[in-house]
Amino acid sequence: MNSLYRKLAFTNMKNNRQFYVPYLLTGMLSAMMFYSMRAMQGNEGLDHVRGSAQLTTILSLGLAVIGIFVCILLFYTNSFIMKRRKKELGVYNILGMEKKHIARVLFWETLTTFVLSVGGGLVLGIVFNKLLTMLLYRMTGLSESIPFYISGWGCMQTVELFGLIYLATLFYNFMQVKLANPMELLRSGNAGEKEPKTKLLLAVFGVACLAAGYYIAITTEDVMGVLSLFFVAVLLVIVGTYALFTAGSIAFLKLLRSNKRYYYQTKHFTSVSGMIYRMKQNAVGLANICILSTMVLVMVSTTVSMYVGLEDEIEQNYAGDVEVTVNYAGVPDEETRKAAFDEVKSSVRESGRVVTETMSTASISTAVVKEENEISILRDEASQMSQMGMAAILTKADYETLEETTLPEFGQDEVVVAAAPVYEEGSIIFLGKEYQVAESIKLSGANAAYGSLIPGGVMYLVVSDEETLSDIYGKMAAYYEENPEAGGCSVAYEMAVDIDGTAEEKKECAENVREKMQGIWDSGAAGFSHTTGYGVQSKQEGYEDYLSLNGSFFFLGLFLGLMFLMVTVLIIYYKQISEGYEDKERFAIMEKVGMSRKEVKAAIASQVRTVFFLPFVMAAIHLAAAFPMLSRLLAMLNLYNKSLFALCLLATLLVFGVIYFIVFKVTSKTYYRIVGEQF
């Protein structure tokens, strides 16, 4: 008896191959992606490379996202197939098969789907895992050898996850058959043909949600606001999108219908009335396509920007190939500076490298709170965080070196204020002393972008000479001594050198400098007295760290973007099938009421194109509104180049648009094949 049910299940899957083949391919690709991500995450080779901890964390995040979306994707696809097959199952019931017999057929269909999908997915995952790992290593700059191996845990977890998913879909299918009577199953293909009601409140709610989400994305500027409100904005946009597609579209179309002069024209009459029913039946699917398309665009464009903008990030964060920062308990004089820098350059030369360029500056940095023309040192971070800004105090000579500019001469009771946003007062009070503002400069570039992330912005207080800087340091030291809860201060003397050599030679030099500096600092040699600490940074090491992080995000963005694209294509494909069967009947009705074949064809084609491209247009609008907030999120990751991000975003939108159009042309063939000769 079981062989009969098994044969019947195979026959059903063969006869419904236009539904099951995409379902099986989706299952295979999903299983392959889940296994591959799990195998890469568990790859022991990652433990021995630089940046392994962050890389493993990012892969774990990707594994969780893939697991969640696999569940949603397969359950959605199964639900669509069951909806299209209800009439067929009703026929079985009418012909004498009991529900328990139908359940056995469904069991064999689900088991076959599970075996083919998971088995095929694991084979593909095992075969292509090394290739994907090589791609990951290439993107993250890793040079370790990659042995071929099969992840036992990956196979086991893939089987467990997909087993639970297919078991849940089987239970859902059982319940669909059990709760429906044969006549309901037979009539299911004709259900839902009543005209949709106008849900004006839901439409208004959708517009309000979308407007609120856009407002948050465009206007939120401070770092805490961006971090805390990003997911709020995302949620509002998602809710607003679903509400607009399900209710707003119907309300808008009925508004057009109420305009008699517009509506009672042949092309408008058929287009508007047809679109009302299309939007009722496809609204949720179109909203899904819109949200998924937006996710693909956001994920790929941001990760591409991070990867392409790697050089920009490095240049913004490193002044030289090797940087040494020494913190002094006071302002170091010229002799002390020279002695310290000589030690650094000597350490570089002992490593066999040649110094090609140098730069050094001394500054005092502190968190401040600004009120009108007075700035005070931040004391209570919890209560003043919403007003916090950053201030750096340095001499005119050091500012000119840092910014490669020339300032006019000014006195000891005057300062030049370089700030973002620009400082507009004529004087500034700091630590009880009022200074006249000799010149106010608007910061630009990375400093301005960084300042936009902080509520109080960024400010440089440029003083005339070291004597004034020493006076300010003395007052700050006294303030911190009286208020130890506020922290402490020191003068950071930063020395940067560019050197010759390959990337590996520069890394080796930085490591040698790091080792030598420890001995010099311990000995208290000339230039290192009255110091509170030091640090050595390597631009090449920083490059590798950023490459590991950004490359990991880029790989994850492409991986998840591919998955979301696969989901989008699948929803589009099934939507085209669904509309094909519905339009086949609409053709006959339109022709019976007197419309010509040409008019019918034009009306249906117009509706199909409108419905198909509406999610893409809406996704592009979402992306444009999200640009300001996404720019600020990237700035937190040290990518301040908005122009670069805009270009990457436009390029991603263009490529996705081309893919979207190709999907439309390919899936339209299935649509036309179902509609038949009428087209």
Side-chain angles (χ1 to χ4, degrees):
M1 184 63 73
N2 280 334
S3 62
L4 174 63
Y5 298 132
R6 189 166 59 249
K7 289 179 181 178
L8 188 57
F10 293 157
T11 302
N12 290 341
M13 294 179 69
K14 181 179 179 182
N15 293 338
N16 291 283
R17 55 185 175 274
Q18 62 181 338
F19 303 137
Y20 273 99
V21 170
Y23 187 34
L24 289 171
L25 289 175
T26 301
M28 285 184 188
L29 291 174
S30 299
M32 182 196 78
M33 296 176 77
F34 184 84
Y35 168 81
S36 298
M37 188 64 74
R38 179 64 183 88
M40 284 186 285
Q41 185 218 10
N43 190 332
E44 295 182 357
L46 293 180
D47 297 335
H48 308 294
V49 298
R50 189 178 183 89
S52 61
Q54 61 192 24
L55 184 55
T56 303
T57 301
I58 293 171
L59 291 177
S60 299
L61 174 64
L63 187 68
V65 174
I66 289 174
I68 293 171
F69 269 87
V70 162
C71 296
I72 298 172
L73 171 61
L74 295 181
F75 203 85
Y76 169 83
T77 310
N78 173 77
S79 300
F80 176 88
I81 293 174
M82 280 300 296
K83 181 180 178 181
R84 299 305 310 176
R85 293 190 59 201
K86 279 184 177 180
K87 184 178 290 188
E88 171 193 334
L89 298 177
V91 171
Y92 287 155
N93 215 177
I94 293 294
L95 293 177
M97 287 184 68
E98 298 180 19
K99 290 184 177 180
K100 64 180 181 180
H101 299 143
I102 297 175
R104 291 178 183 177
V105 174
L106 293 176
F107 167 78
W108 281 108
E109 290 177 2
T110 305
L111 181 61
T112 303
T113 303
F114 169 74
V115 172
L116 292 177
S117 298
V118 177
L122 287 175
V123 170
L124 290 174
I126 291 169
V127 170
F128 290 105
N129 180 59
K130 184 171 181 178
L131 181 63
L132 290 172
T133 307
M134 290 171 63
L135 178 62
L136 172 64
Y137 277 30
R138 173 75 175 176
M139 288 181 175
T140 54
L142 305 180
S143 57
E144 298 293 311
S145 60
I146 308 171
F148 176 82
Y149 90 109
I150 298 175
S151 171
W153 277 108
C155 292
M156 184 182 301
Q157 291 182 3
T158 303
V159 171
E160 289 174 351
L161 174 65
F162 282 78
L164 289 173
I165 294 172
Y166 283 110
L167 186 63
T169 61
L170 179 61
F171 178 75
Y172 170 82
N173 295 344
F174 284 166
M175 295 303 296
Q176 291 291 302
V177 174
K178 181 180 179 180
L179 296 176
N181 61 52
M183 296 308 297
E184 287 176 342
L185 291 173
L186 286 172
R187 290 197 303 265
S188 63
N190 298 320
E193 289 299 319
K194 293 181 180 180
E195 181 178 301
K197 296 180 180 179
T198 304
K199 300 176 181 177
L200 188 58
L201 288 178
L202 183 59
V204 173
F205 175 73
V207 172
C209 285
L210 212 56
Y214 287 175
Y215 179 80
I216 291 172
I218 294 171
T219 61
T220 305
E221 295 186 353
D222 63 278
V223 61
M224 297 306 296
V226 170
L227 290 174
S228 60
L229 295 176
F230 176 75
F231 290 103
V232 175
V234 170
L235 183 61
L236 285 170
V237 169
I238 290 175
V239 172
T241 300
Y242 279 104
L244 278 182
F245 272 97
T246 55
S249 58
I250 303 297
F252 177 72
L253 290 168
K254 287 193 174 183
L255 182 65
L256 290 179
R257 190 175 67 178
S258 66
N259 186 337
K260 305 302 182 184
R261 295 182 62 183
Y262 176 87
Y263 182 62
Y264 287 111
Q265 298 180 32
T266 303
K267 61 178 182 179
H268 294 162
F269 178 85
T270 55
S271 177
V272 172
S273 59
M275 283 294 292
I276 289 175
Y277 284 93
R278 281 184 186 276
M279 292 309 298
K280 176 189 175 182
Q281 295 162 1
N282 296 291
V284 174
L286 293 174
N288 288 334
I289 294 171
C290 177
I291 295 300
L292 288 167
S293 298
T294 306
M295 292 174 70
V296 171
L297 291 169
V298 168
M299 187 163 293
V300 175
S301 62
T302 51
T303 53
V304 166
S305 299
M306 290 173 63
Y307 193 73
V308 174
L310 181 61
E311 293 292 342
D312 273 8
E313 295 180 57
I314 294 300
E315 292 303 318
Q316 295 291 349
N317 285 278
Y318 293 89
D321 292 321
V322 180
E323 295 182 14
V324 179
T325 302
V326 181
N327 297 315
Y328 289 90
V331 177
D333 56 25
E334 190 62 33
E335 184 179 342
T336 302
R337 291 190 186 195
K338 183 178 183 305
F341 212 165
D342 285 344
E343 292 286 3
V344 172
K345 289 184 283 189
S346 175
S347 299
V348 170
R349 286 192 291 269
E350 288 176 19
S351 300
R353 305 269 56 84
V354 176
V355 175
T356 59
E357 193 171 343
T358 65
M359 186 186 76
S360 65
T361 60
S363 63
I364 310 169
S365 296
T366 184
V368 297
V369 175
K370 177 179 173 292
E371 295 181 6
E372 296 182 352
N373 71 328
E374 182 174 4
I375 59 171
S376 55
I377 296 173
L378 181 72
R379 292 185 59 182
D380 188 345
E381 293 187 9
S383 65
Q384 297 180 332
M385 186 59 72
S386 61
Q387 301 172 283
M388 185 193 77
M390 292 299 299
I393 304 99
L394 69 169
T395 64
K396 173 179 177 291
D398 283 336
Y399 181 82
E400 290 175 336
T401 300
L402 183 66
E403 296 295 322
E404 297 181 348
T405 187
T406 302
L407 297 177
E409 296 295 329
F410 55 93
Q412 291 185 329
D413 293 329
E414 296 178 305
V415 293
V416 170
V417 181
V422 65
Y423 186 77
E424 298 179 348
E425 304 291 336
S427 64
I428 188 168
I429 301 173
F430 183 53
L431 295 175
K433 181 173 180 178
E434 184 174 8
Y435 298 88
Q436 297 301 310
V437 176
E439 184 176 354
S440 185
I441 301 172
K442 183 179 181 180
L443 286 177
S444 59
N447 287 324
Y450 175 66
S452 69
L453 300 176
I454 304 174
V458 171
M459 175 182 293
Y460 283 110
L461 286 182
V462 184
V463 298
S464 58
D465 49 39
E466 289 185 6
E467 182 181 345
T468 306
L469 185 65
S470 296
D471 180 60
I472 291 176
Y473 176 81
K475 292 179 179 179
M476 290 181 67
Y479 174 86
Y480 283 116
E481 187 175 348
E482 295 175 3
N483 304 278
E485 74 280 0
C489 68
S490 61
V491 179
Y493 180 47
E494 299 178 21
M495 299 163 279
V497 295
D498 284 331
I499 57 178
D500 68 342
T502 64
E504 285 301 317
E505 289 171 338
K506 291 179 180 180
K507 277 177 57 182
E508 184 179 349
C509 175
E511 187 58 37
N512 290 338
V513 170
R514 196 173 284 121
E515 292 177 1
K516 293 180 183 299
M517 288 301 298
Q518 182 63 48
I520 295 171
W521 190 68
D522 289 340
S523 67
F528 287 86
S529 57
H530 305 293
T531 58
T532 59
Y534 78 96
V536 179
Q537 287 187 305
S538 164
K539 179 188 284 188
Q540 188 58 37
E541 290 174 355
Y543 177 84
E544 292 181 1
D545 288 338
Y546 274 99
L547 181 61
S548 176
L549 178 65
N550 293 6
S552 302
F553 275 121
F554 185 33
F555 178 82
L556 184 61
L558 292 180
F559 209 80
L560 296 182
L562 179 63
M563 181 168 190
F564 296 150
L565 182 61
M566 181 177 68
V567 178
T568 305
V569 170
L570 189 70
I571 294 174
I572 291 172
Y573 174 78
Y574 282 132
K575 187 182 74 67
Q576 292 281 55
I577 291 178
S578 178
E579 290 197 352
Y581 284 113
E582 292 161 3
D583 288 344
K584 190 172 185 179
E585 299 175 2
R586 288 196 183 106
F587 270 118
I589 294 172
M590 287 180 177
E591 290 182 350
K592 286 177 183 178
V593 298
M595 291 182 66
S596 67
R597 179 70 56 90
K598 182 179 180 181
E599 289 173 333
V600 171
K601 179 179 178 180
I604 294 293
S606 174
Q607 292 172 34
V608 169
R609 286 193 298 269
T610 301
V611 169
F612 193 90
F613 286 102
L614 185 60
F616 176 75
V617 173
M618 197 68 184
I621 295 172
H622 288 346
L623 197 63
F627 178 80
M629 181 169 275
L630 292 175
S631 299
R632 296 179 190 108
L633 285 173
L634 288 174
M636 293 178 198
L637 297 171
N638 296 308
L639 180 63
Y640 303 111
N641 193 333
K642 286 188 178 182
S643 299
L644 174 66
F645 177 44
L647 287 173
C648 291
L649 191 148
L650 288 174
T652 304
L653 185 63
L654 179 62
V655 172
F656 183 78
V658 172
I659 295 172
Y660 197 87
F661 180 75
I662 292 172
V663 170
F664 168 68
K665 299 298 290 185
V666 171
T667 56
S668 292
K669 292 181 180 179
T670 303
Y671 170 86
Y672 296 140
R673 189 163 54 246
I674 293 171
V675 170
E677 295 180 357
Q678 285 118 319
F679 241 105

